[in-house]
Amino acid sequence: MSEPEEEHAGPDPARVGLHFLSVAHRVRQAVDQHMAAAGLSLSRTKTLRLLAERGTLHQAELAEALGQAPRSVTQALEALERLDLIARTTDPQDRRRKTVTLTGKGQAALTAGEQAGEQRLQRLFGSLDGRQLAALDTLLTTIDVATGSTD
């Protein structure tokens, strides 16, 4: 391809996609670090948010909702339980099953973690003016639809 044809072809979608993934990773890290400094990581926040929204769940239901292996969720829940952010009890109908409930301390940690995450996102995306933010929202929606998202 000659130089004028290359310029006319526009940016390479794969290169732009890799750039997007790199930026998204750095944004996620920045938000997670800010949230962790406030006491609750992004991953833990996601678990507590599900419990706050859905109420008491069986561990298997929680693992499925998080899209994680049950063993991974069990380890994460053990850590949350040690911090008194959740309570796990044996299901009276099936003693092999554990139910998981958000504690009052867990709700308070969730609120603080979400506020810290929102503050960081406001700061990062607040660097865009209104038109840029609207354009980014439109672009992200287009990409989201292309992934087959049902959200």
Side-chain angles (χ1 to χ4, degrees):
M1 227 183 220
S2 69
E3 282 186 42
E5 289 173 333
E6 285 180 16
E7 288 178 24
H8 183 66
D12 175 47
R15 185 188 61 75
V16 173
L18 289 172
H19 186 194
F20 168 78
L21 290 173
S22 177
V23 171
H25 179 72
R26 284 195 309 278
V27 167
R28 183 179 176 86
Q29 281 183 316
V31 170
D32 189 44
Q33 288 171 357
H34 196 71
M35 291 175 74
L40 198 62
S41 71
L42 192 55
S43 174
R44 287 180 173 180
T45 298
K46 186 175 179 182
T47 301
L48 298 184
R49 167 61 31 222
L50 271 169
L51 290 169
E53 290 172 354
R54 298 186 186 180
T56 300
L57 293 171
H58 289 106
Q59 282 187 194
E61 294 169 327
L62 190 55
E64 184 178 331
L66 292 168
Q68 296 179 4
R71 181 71 182 139
S72 297
V73 171
T74 298
Q75 291 171 341
L77 293 177
E78 288 170 352
L80 290 170
E81 187 174 35
R82 280 192 299 274
L83 296 170
D84 193 32
L85 302 179
I86 60 140
R88 293 186 307 161
T89 56
T90 302
D91 185 321
Q93 279 74 41
D94 184 349
R95 301 199 53 80
R96 296 169 295 174
R97 295 177 77 182
K98 296 274 188 181
T99 58
V100 184
T101 306
L102 185 64
T103 64
K105 186 176 177 181
Q107 181 61 58
L110 175 61
T111 300
E114 287 181 330
Q115 287 175 348
E118 287 175 19
Q119 287 171 353
R120 178 57 76 175
L121 290 170
Q122 286 286 343
R123 187 169 172 204
L124 291 169
F125 289 92
S127 66
L128 302 174
D129 66 34
R131 285 187 326 216
Q132 291 172 321
L133 197 56
L136 178 58
D137 190 41
T138 299
L139 293 170
L140 291 173
T141 298
T142 301
I143 293 167
D144 200 22
V145 168
T147 67
S149 173
T150 57
D151 292 342

